[in-house]
């Protein structure tokens, strides 16, 4: 699965890890994260993220 980078703060969402502290289980694709999920570091929404390698 592809990783996604928050352009504002540099946080990388890795689907293999998820974001369990914020209710996103490991193995959750970025597209399947709820629309109201926020970056755990800077608080911006999914629209601040871009696909990365």
């Amino acid at each position: 699965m592809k990783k996604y980078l928050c352009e504002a703060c540099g946080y990388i969402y890795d689907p293999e890890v998820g974001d369990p502290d914020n209710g996103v289980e490991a193995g959750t694709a970025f597209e399947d994260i709820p629309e109201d999920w926020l970056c755990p570091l800077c608080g911006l929404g999914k629209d601040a993220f871009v696909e990365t390698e």
Side-chain angles (χ1 to χ4, degrees):
M1 285 192 248
K2 297 175 182 174
K3 296 178 182 179
Y4 288 79
L5 169 72
C6 178
E7 291 188 300
C9 71
Y11 172 80
I12 295 178
Y13 175 76
D14 182 348
E16 291 182 16
V17 177
D19 183 16
D21 292 341
N22 293 296
V24 180
E25 294 183 23
T28 303
F30 187 78
E31 297 80 19
D32 296 334
I33 297 173
E35 289 302 316
D36 62 351
W37 177 81
L38 301 174
C39 175
L41 294 185
C42 70
L44 291 180
K46 288 176 65 176
D47 58 344
F49 284 75
V50 294
E51 192 175 301
T52 189
E53 296 186 14

